[in-house]
Amino acid sequence: MARVLITGMSGAGKSTLLAALASRGYLTVDTDRGGWFRSEARWDEPRMAALLAAHPTIAVCGTAENQGSFYDRFEHVVYLLVPLEVLLHRVRTRTNNPYGKSAAQQHEIARYVADVEPLIRRGATVELDGLMPVGELADRIERCLISPRDSRRTEFDTGGGHSIRP
């Protein structure tokens, strides 16, 4: 069994994917809810450390400045890759999260894609095409949840006959 971090830009589908995993009976934590941030961009480190120490099988989703300091406690770090134009459409039209509605927030998301996304992708062990159907993404994450860490970067077929590569 394994601990899996699902990360990506705002609008990538992290929360939707996590809900699909929860419906399959997996323990999940969405760090956008429930007070997981000590500041606007950093997880509460003692709380996250305790969560990961207590649960050998869990799916956590979120993106934080300090997430890299927890990578060694996750067997898999999954990055959901989604084109910027799709991210912006999703944040403009979603109803479960107000972030991304304003032009300033959309500009911020574009800046994060340019500056932050390459850093997160470098630390990921698995990259998935966030445009795949949620059920297929959940199948891929479920395989991660039941498999131990692999020292090699994993590439999964996106379902369209090609693999996502950094």
Side-chain angles (χ1 to χ4, degrees), residues 2-5 27-29 51-52 55-60 74 145:
R3 292 171 206 85
V4 175
L5 172 62
L27 177 62
T28 63
V29 170
L51 174 77
L52 297 175
H55 300 287
T57 304
I58 189 169
V60 175
F74 287 101
L145 285 162

Side-chain angles (χ1 to χ4, degrees), residues 12-81:
K14 300 178 299 290
S15 297
T16 301
L17 178 53
L18 202 70
L21 293 166
S23 75
R24 294 179 181 200
Y26 288 98
L27 177 62
T28 63
V29 170
D30 185 340
T31 62
D32 284 347
R33 294 165 179 72
W36 286 95
F37 285 86
R38 280 241 167 134
S39 69
E40 186 174 309
R42 297 181 63 78
W43 285 334
D44 178 334
E45 291 189 11
R47 186 175 180 202
M48 182 60 71
L51 174 77
L52 297 175
H55 300 287
T57 304
I58 189 169
V60 175
C61 84
T63 304
E65 282 181 5
N66 60 340
Q67 72 186 40
S69 63
F70 293 95
Y71 283 178
D72 64 336
R73 290 172 249 188
F74 287 101
E75 282 73 27
H76 304 279
V77 176
V78 178
Y79 188 77
L80 293 180
L81 182 63

Side-chain angles (χ1 to χ4, degrees), residues 68-132:
S69 63
F70 293 95
Y71 283 178
D72 64 336
R73 290 172 249 188
F74 287 101
E75 282 73 27
H76 304 279
V77 176
V78 178
Y79 188 77
L80 293 180
L81 182 63
V82 176
L84 176 61
E85 58 275 3
V86 175
L87 295 174
L88 294 177
H89 173 75
R90 286 179 177 180
V91 298
R92 280 192 300 264
T93 59
R94 66 185 174 188
T95 58
N96 62 343
N97 185 333
Y99 179 74
K101 303 290 185 204
S102 74
Q105 290 169 339
Q106 292 172 27
H107 178 73
E108 185 175 59
I109 291 168
R111 192 176 78 244
Y112 290 155
V113 168
D115 299 340
V116 178
E117 181 179 72
L119 302 173
I120 297 173
R121 289 178 72 193
R122 220 171 304 151
T125 59
V126 177
E127 234 179 63
L128 294 176
D129 181 342
L131 301 179
M132 289 173 40

